[in-house]
Amino acid sequence: MSAIAENIARIRSELPAKVTLLTVSKFHPVEVLREAYDAGQRVFGENRVQELLAKQPLLPLDIEWHFIGTLQANKVKHIAPFIHTVQSIDSPALLKEVDRQAARCSRSLRVLLEIHIAAETSKHGFGPDECRTLLRNGLADAYPHVRIGGLMGMATFTDDMEQVRQEFRSLRALFDELKPLAGDAFDTLSMGMSGDYPVAVEEGSTLIRVGTSIFGERSI
């Protein structure tokens, strides 16, 4: 068994049955991703449109691709034909463009609303009140080609795991509050990465985004 396969097996053994493991493949070559695929991994996430477009045609078609990085509106059209989920919806303008491009492809695209929970201004996302307003104002009717699948958030990059825990806890509370407004499709709480996913899972994450703990440090 390869080191990548061993890492995937180890992480899966730590996760509750209902938590999805997404492998973050940024900067890693197709050959490495094939190792993860051969180990049974089917959910992959990319941060950059150009890199995703280069990799997607070279890998099996049953991969479930998630876009997890900052997405420019003018690049949505490139990934709309095949992307499974856009996790990083951080503005009404981006949501509108995803809806427009999904309509052009005759698709209904699944998205997660990114919530700003970190103490770092460099991170993106809606504020909790913005998100509440968005969902209360008839989001489904305004964007008929978009399905709101849940929330995504990134905690502060810090060694203080208590701060990280409180940020994840606040996101879980918002998820629980909004679910009755959003409907049955609202079932994913994406939080937790290589350095903090055990805490995220304890606080209710249903999907973790892991790269380094599977592939090792990035080469770039």
Side-chain angles (χ1 to χ4, degrees):
M1 182 182 291
S2 72
I4 289 172
E6 289 178 356
N7 290 337
I8 290 173
R10 172 181 53 80
I11 294 170
R12 283 182 178 158
S13 72
E14 300 169 355
L15 298 178
K18 294 184 178 180
V19 176
T20 298
L21 170 63
L22 176 150
T23 53
V24 179
S25 49
K26 178 182 177 182
F27 293 146
H28 296 291
V30 167
E31 294 76 18
V32 171
L33 304 192
R34 285 189 183 277
E35 286 192 52
Y37 181 89
D38 290 343
Q41 185 61 24
R42 294 295 183 271
V43 184
F44 289 77
E46 277 290 340
N47 298 63
R48 297 184 177 186
V49 169
Q50 186 174 358
E51 190 170 352
L52 174 57
L53 293 176
K55 291 175 179 176
Q56 187 266 343
L58 302 178
L59 289 161
L61 294 177
D62 62 337
I63 287 178
E64 180 181 303
W65 288 104
H66 290 226
F67 193 83
I68 60 176
T70 302
L71 180 59
Q72 297 175 351
N74 64 354
K75 294 186 177 180
V76 174
K77 61 186 176 184
H78 299 301
I79 64 173
F82 66 86
I83 201 74
H84 180 278
T85 300
V86 178
Q87 291 204 17
S88 48
I89 298 294
D90 60 4
S91 71
L94 181 57
L95 191 63
K96 181 178 180 180
E97 181 61 15
V98 170
D99 181 74
R100 189 171 79 89
Q101 295 300 335
R104 289 181 69 247
C105 298
S106 299
R107 297 189 67 201
S108 175
L109 282 179
R110 185 171 180 270
V111 303
L112 306 184
L113 303 178
E114 183 175 358
I115 308 299
H116 188 273
I117 58 172
E120 300 155 329
T121 57
S122 60
K123 289 191 167 70
H124 297 259
F126 291 101
D129 285 341
E130 290 179 290
C131 191
R132 291 183 181 101
T133 300
L134 196 64
L135 286 172
R136 286 170 180 159
N137 286 349
L139 184 74
D141 295 333
Y143 305 108
H145 297 278
V146 166
R147 291 176 291 115
I148 308 299
L151 304 179
M152 184 269 265
M154 290 182 284
T156 302
F157 184 68
T158 176
D159 292 331
D160 184 351
M161 285 298 108
E162 187 54 36
Q163 177 180 348
V164 169
R165 183 179 298 279
Q166 291 304 317
E167 290 168 356
F168 286 150
R169 188 168 293 174
S170 71
L171 186 57
R172 169 61 188 271
L174 182 65
F175 176 83
D176 290 342
E177 175 190 341
L178 296 177
K179 186 169 176 55
L181 297 174
D184 293 340
F186 195 86
D187 60 5
T188 299
L189 181 56
S190 173
M191 60 185 192
M193 299 187 291
S194 288
D196 55 24
Y197 74 80
V199 176
V201 171
E202 289 173 1
E203 295 302 325
S205 176
T206 69
L207 183 149
I208 60 171
R209 311 179 303 273
V210 180
T212 302
S213 293
I214 292 173
F215 299 118
E217 293 295 334
R218 294 166 180 160
S219 58
I220 297 177

